[in-house]
Amino acid sequence: MFVALSRFTIANDMAEKVQAAFRNRPHLVDDASGFLSMEVMSPLGNPAEIWLLTRWSDEQSYRTWHRGHAYHESHKGIPKGLKLVPGSAAVQLFQVFSE
């Protein structure tokens, strides 16, 4: 299994709108080849920090999705006016070797 963990921090007061956008997301990734699951979360006490964890059957499936049209379409639901803390956006990639 392969995991992509994205993290960013919202700079303006839009955490609730971002959370609502994820709750109402169009589920475009759900049918991507190799996609297994997605979780979106915030640390307790810091709702402006968003963590997005996606699980994939393999790295190539993730990379194919990430380069594809549906990936870019899925980001159209980002609330207008959203600003991020500079330097807060990061993606870490993991190979899962034990569950």
Side-chain angles (χ1 to χ4, degrees):
M1 184 182 355
F2 179 81
V3 169
L5 179 63
S6 304
R7 175 184 51 80
F8 60 90
T9 303
I10 301 164
N12 50 355
D13 192 26
M14 295 187 71
E16 288 183 25
K17 288 183 180 182
V18 171
Q19 290 174 7
F22 275 111
R23 280 193 293 276
N24 299 311
R25 67 185 181 85
H27 294 267
L28 296 176
V29 69
D30 294 12
D31 294 325
S33 178
F35 175 77
L36 301 173
S37 66
M38 179 169 83
E39 295 174 75
V40 186
M41 61 200 97
S42 292
L44 292 176
N46 190 5
E49 188 175 323
I50 307 293
W51 293 63
L52 171 66
L53 185 140
T54 55
R55 290 180 179 84
W56 301 83
S57 60
D58 57 88
E59 181 179 357
Q60 187 57 48
S61 294
Y62 165 77
R63 293 196 183 279
T64 298
W65 156 257
H66 195 261
R67 287 190 306 260
H69 176 72
Y71 169 82
H72 297 288
E73 284 293 313
S74 70
H75 286 76
K76 288 185 176 180
I78 294 172
K80 292 183 195 285
L82 176 67
K83 302 221 183 295
L84 302 182
V85 171
S88 71
V91 178
Q92 289 182 281
L93 306 176
F94 300 86
Q95 178 181 356
V96 178
F97 56 86
S98 179
E99 290 185 55

